[in-house]
Amino acid sequence: DGGITQSPKYLFRKEGQNVTLSCEQNLNHDAMYWYRQDPGQGLRLIYYSQIVNDFQKGDIAEGYSVSREKKESFPLTVTSAQKNPTAFYLCASSGELANNEQFFGPGTRLTVL
Amino acid sequence: DQQVKQNSPSLSVQEGRISILNCDYTNSMFDYFLWYKKYPAEGPTFLISISSIKDKNEDGRFTVFLNKSAKHLSLHIVPSQPGDSAVYFCAASGNQFYFGTGTSLTVIP
């Protein structure tokens, strides 16, 4: 089955700790994205990657880092510099063209205690 | 600055009636528009899309209308079913995707 997986579904961390959220896709998509969803807000773009070993900051990249060493994988690290990290994080991928639909993973709910 | 706006945070409709969800955008360079449906604690799933060269696209019970001069698109669901109850996001594509804030649709049996 082709798709996007994110793990874990729920994640708890203590304040001040870095945490890495995984995102894997087997759709052979070139582009991958990380979004954050907060109550009452739309999906806000954190980082995106159009191709392996390249990524760009989105609208709210501060306090986050990513890597794209493999086409299938786009992990997101939430660092201790992120002021308000508790949120629902969604990973997505799309084909080469910008107007292709994005396919989303199930999301990870991160709670920082 | 929000480039894609959904001004109605929630909508309730009786089963069998039409649901109309609205979306406005500010950037005339957007060339592709999409609607996603999202259940709680799940990722959004693609519903229907429309290119800027069209003004209507229909897929079963779902129809998306695009009014470029007004920078407005709408999603019509008819007839509405209880299983349609979810949050609906509109999205616009230029060099990247921009999402609205979502409208929570409740279809009352």
Side-chain angles (χ1 to χ4, degrees):
Chain A
D1 254 28
I4 303 178
T5 56
Q6 290 183 245
S7 60
K9 195 173 178 75
Y10 299 96
L11 188 57
F12 297 87
R13 279 294 181 270
K14 290 184 179 178
E15 193 172 340
Q17 288 182 334
N18 289 358
V19 60
T20 297
L21 283 59
S22 81
C23 178
E24 304 279 330
Q25 55 100 359
N26 60 4
L27 300 167
N28 200 34
H29 284 166
D30 287 309
M32 296 187 74
Y33 311 79
W34 274 105
Y35 293 92
R36 169 181 171 140
Q37 186 189 13
D38 294 285
Q41 302 217 32
L43 304 180
R44 293 185 291 166
L45 182 65
I46 304 173
Y47 268 98
Y48 65 102
S49 168
Q50 303 280 39
I51 198 169
V52 173
N53 291 323
D54 185 54
F55 48 83
Q56 307 294 329
K57 291 183 179 180
D59 300 318
I60 54 165
E62 187 176 348
Y64 299 97
S65 65
V66 293
S67 62
R68 187 84 187 278
E69 296 175 4
K70 297 187 299 181
K71 189 175 186 177
E72 302 79 22
S73 178
F74 191 39
L76 173 74
T77 297
V78 184
T79 76
S80 57
Q82 168 50 233
K83 300 299 180 194
N84 187 19
T86 295
F88 188 56
Y89 290 88
L90 285 159
C91 177
S93 69
S94 70
E96 184 177 337
L97 298 176
N99 61 3
N100 276 0
E101 66 182 85
Q102 291 192 342
F103 293 83
F104 285 83
T108 293
R109 167 75 61 187
L110 173 65
T111 302
V112 175
L113 307 171
Chain B
D1 189 28
Q2 197 80 20
Q3 297 204 42
V4 178
K5 298 178 184 178
Q6 293 176 257
N7 293 317
S8 298
S10 63
L11 175 68
S12 291
V13 172
Q14 206 71 35
E15 181 179 4
R17 306 294 288 268
I18 185 170
S19 296
I20 301 177
L21 295 94
N22 294 303
C23 180
D24 297 295
Y25 60 96
T26 58
N27 190 339
S28 58
M29 298 302 291
F30 289 145
D31 56 4
Y32 205 71
F33 303 89
L34 309 93
W35 283 94
Y36 286 84
K37 178 179 178 179
K38 184 182 179 302
Y39 293 113
E42 294 183 11
T45 54
F46 171 74
L47 195 57
I48 192 169
S49 64
I50 188 167
S51 164
S52 61
I53 63 173
K54 294 186 175 182
D55 54 20
K56 177 183 174 181
N57 187 27
E58 192 172 351
D59 183 4
R61 296 186 297 114
F62 303 92
T63 303
V64 56
F65 294 92
L66 176 63
N67 182 334
K68 287 187 289 294
S69 61
K71 295 192 182 69
H72 177 84
L73 68 155
S74 61
L75 174 68
H76 292 208
I77 306 173
V78 55
S80 301
Q81 299 173 355
D84 296 330
S85 297
V87 176
Y88 291 78
F89 289 96
C90 68
S93 172
N95 58 346
Q96 60 174 285
F97 285 82
Y98 296 87
F99 286 82
T101 52
T103 297
S104 178
L105 173 66
T106 302
V107 179
I108 304 163

